Every structure is written in C-alpha cells, then in structure tokens.
Amino acid sequence: LFANFQPFWMFRDSAFEAGEPLIGPEPSERLYEIRSFEQAGTRIVAGSDWPVTTANPLLAIQVGMTRRDPMDAGAPVWNPAQRVSLDTLLRAYTIEGATLNHRERDTGSLEVGKAADFIILDRDLFAIPPEDIGETRVLATFVDGVQVSPYRVDF
C-alpha cells in the first residue's frame, strides 16, 4: 500500500482555518496523518499540487518534519505527533515514487545500472536543523549522468 501526501500542506494556515468549520475540529485534527500511515506499514510517497502550492520539495520536506508554517518562525507546531523523519521524506520523493510508478529498476536511487539522475545541494540536509531545509538551494542537476543545469535553481 502507498499513500501520497503533499507535505507542504501539513501546517495550520488560513485555508485550514477556513475549512475547519466545514468538517469540524476533530476531523480537522486528523488531516495529513502521515506518521500514522507510516507506522501502519504504508509506503509514503510525496509530491505537490503545483501550481496551487509550491513545487519545491525541500520546503515541503521542512514542513513535513516540523509541521509548522515555513514563513513564520514563531508559528505553532500543528499535530506534532505526525512529524516524520528526513529519511522518510527523502525516500518519499525518490525511491518510493519510482516504485509506485513501476520504475524502481531504472530510477529512484543511485545504483549501478540505473539512470544517474541527481542534484547537488548547497548543504548537507542531515547536518542542519529541519527549519533550515527549505532554504537549501540546488547547485546543479544531472540527468543520465549529464549535467543539464550548471546554475543554481531557486524554486
């Protein structure tokens, strides 16, 4: 089983506040229970609903880990028991997505025989606080082992 989440939406914002009266407070608190799905053994896949939300997976990873508005450092954490790890979210954006699309034999991880599709980041995501992940920049993009973007990518 797979569950597809859009981690960027995992914080309380004005859209959440507007929708809460329509579905009620208890169901609202159960939205985006990514950790519960993970604990139940469901494979997590992540994406975005761009153009209605950001296409930046790094910002979405930050939100999935913090459950806090990334634009407001003082924002409260929403449903902290549903936070997930960096490893979970990186897998959700890579190998789990490839597996869901029946492409795990040729993409989704760096292994001999697979497409060498990868990016170079300006920092080690495992060495920084989760609150800083959204500020990470892509320095270069490679497709099939060939650099296709020598320039910094800003989402």
Side-chain angles (χ1 to χ4, degrees), residues 1-6 42-47 91-108 114:
L1 283 176
F2 289 87
N4 186 352
F5 287 91
Q6 290 74 39
T42 306
R43 296 171 81 172
I44 305 300
V45 178
R91 290 182 57 80
Y93 277 103
T94 57
I95 191 62
E96 297 296 4
T99 302
L100 180 62
N101 287 293
H102 307 287
R103 299 282 317 277
E104 71 275 14
R105 289 190 180 144
D106 43 56
T107 192
K114 289 187 174 187

Side-chain angles (χ1 to χ4, degrees), residues 3 7-8 21 23 30 46 51 57 61 88 100 102 155:
F8 183 76
I23 64 173
R30 297 191 62 222
I61 287 169
T88 294
L100 180 62
H102 307 287
F155 290 97

Side-chain angles (χ1 to χ4, degrees), residues 35-54:
R35 180 79 175 138
S36 294
F37 276 82
E38 181 182 45
Q39 289 175 325
T42 306
R43 296 171 81 172
I44 305 300
V45 178
S48 82
D49 283 343
W50 185 86
V52 296
T53 190
T54 182

